[in-house]
Amino acid sequence: MDYGMSELVPIVGKLAEKYTGHEHTSISYEKAEQLMEAVLYCICETEKENTEFAVQGEKLDAERIYLLGKHLVEEKVKKSLELYNHISAEFCDYGNFCLQNIFLKDLPYFFEHYNYQFAPQDTMIIINYSTWNDVSSDKGIDKIWNFLQSVLLEQKFLQAFPKQEIYRVLIKYDIANEGEAENLCEIILRTIMMNIFLGKYPLDSEFTKEDCIRLQELFKGMREDEIEKQFQKIVQKLVENYYGGDEKLQDYLCIGLRDMAVRTKNAVQNETLIGYLKIDCTLW
């Protein structure tokens, strides 16, 4: 929906009145810009939602669209907090300080200080833990909502296996580093993939020299797209066996398979599978 300044400025003016407590005081140019961004954010929120108000070809009143968007933002805050509390009941960071800090410190700060009325576009916190759903371009509550949905699926994926087995795999990676942002699911799924190719238990954490040679030979004659297709088959079977065929989880896990296939092929071509899979050569 394309609205001109003549339609937006009156909305910003009313918002500014609320911000100043209806006192006839001026606001700074920077604050006016922030309030304009707030209005645009809410209007965009309405555009993203498939509601009866977003009628193609019909230009609706800008203030009406803004107020609907503001309501949608408020509702998304409530849903996000409910989702956060739901995840918190069984949340585990598996020793990753980056994820721990975001979930246990930064997100509570966000929910306490987020101002959906005057600054819905502000995220306030830095989310540097990498999920397969890219939230880097999202702002405000959209970023938090999308991040939490990813965390929900990742927790479900990881919780299907005993914690001690997850920790045994992750111990080889520097996930305790506060700045480490590698996705935990990628590490675990990668390990499961390779073990299934080898006919071993999914979370067998130790690869042997013979395992490395077998994987090298197996992937050497395969293109990246062929490797990705094999990975997709494994994910489908994995989700059927462990997660009751959860389609949302399957779709989420498949997002990372292209990159995983590329990294696997590169490791095979450069003969660096040992480093890629964190194989301990001292055990050979």
Side-chain angles (χ1 to χ4, degrees), residues 211-222:
D211 291 337
C212 187
I213 294 172
R214 285 178 60 192
L215 290 172
Q216 182 77 29
E217 289 301 314
L218 178 65
F219 292 120
K220 186 168 62 175
M222 297 173 64

Side-chain angles (χ1 to χ4, degrees), residues 97-203:
F97 289 161
C98 179
L99 180 59
Q100 179 188 102
N101 287 336
I102 293 172
F103 199 85
L104 300 182
K105 295 180 181 179
D106 295 340
L107 286 174
Y109 176 87
F110 172 87
F111 286 117
E112 182 179 356
H113 297 282
Y114 181 65
N115 191 325
Y116 75 89
Q117 182 172 20
F118 298 120
Q121 71 276 15
D122 289 351
T123 309
M124 298 185 298
I125 63 174
I126 298 174
I127 296 182
N128 54 354
Y129 173 77
S130 176
T131 61
W132 278 328
N133 275 332
D134 183 16
V135 299
S136 59
S137 61
D138 295 331
K139 295 181 180 179
I141 193 59
D142 286 329
K143 191 183 194 83
I144 302 304
W145 172 248
N146 291 333
F147 175 74
L148 284 172
Q149 289 188 92
S150 295
V151 173
L152 176 68
L153 292 171
E154 292 192 4
Q155 290 288 301
K156 180 173 185 176
F157 171 70
L158 295 170
Q159 288 167 4
F161 299 93
K163 285 184 180 179
Q164 64 269 24
E165 295 185 2
I166 299 291
Y167 279 111
R168 194 169 64 242
V169 173
L170 295 178
I171 196 68
K172 297 181 292 184
Y173 297 80
D174 191 22
I175 64 161
N177 188 325
E178 191 167 352
E180 179 58 51
E182 184 169 8
N183 184 271
L184 298 180
C185 286
E186 180 172 349
I187 296 173
I188 298 303
L189 186 57
R190 178 195 313 162
T191 302
I192 291 173
M193 294 280 195
M194 300 307 165
N195 279 316
I196 289 178
F197 274 116
L198 293 167
K200 299 169 67 175
Y201 175 70
L203 279 185

Side-chain angles (χ1 to χ4, degrees), residues 232 235-236 239 245-255:
Q232 288 172 345
V235 166
Q236 182 179 3
V239 171
D246 188 327
E247 292 184 2
K248 286 187 178 180
L249 179 59
Q250 181 172 324
D251 290 343
Y252 181 76
L253 295 177
C254 284
I255 294 174

Side-chain angles (χ1 to χ4, degrees), residues 228-265:
E228 183 180 5
K229 287 180 181 178
Q230 292 299 315
F231 285 170
Q232 288 172 345
K233 291 179 181 178
I234 292 176
V235 166
Q236 182 179 3
K237 184 62 65 175
L238 191 70
V239 171
E240 288 176 0
N241 292 340
Y242 285 84
Y243 307 96
D246 188 327
E247 292 184 2
K248 286 187 178 180
L249 179 59
Q250 181 172 324
D251 290 343
Y252 181 76
L253 295 177
C254 284
I255 294 174
L257 297 186
R258 178 59 182 171
D259 181 63
M260 195 179 298
V262 171
R263 295 175 68 180
T264 299
K265 185 62 177 180

Side-chain angles (χ1 to χ4, degrees), residues 5-27:
M5 294 299 291
S6 61
E7 297 169 283
L8 298 175
V9 169
I11 305 174
V12 174
K14 291 181 181 180
L15 192 57
E17 285 184 12
K18 291 182 180 179
Y19 178 78
T20 60
H22 297 281
E23 296 178 2
H24 294 289
T25 56
S26 61
I27 60 174

Side-chain angles (χ1 to χ4, degrees), residues 82-93:
E82 290 173 357
L83 181 56
Y84 174 81
N85 290 331
H86 171 72
I87 297 172
S88 295
E90 297 184 29
F91 174 75
C92 182
D93 56 62

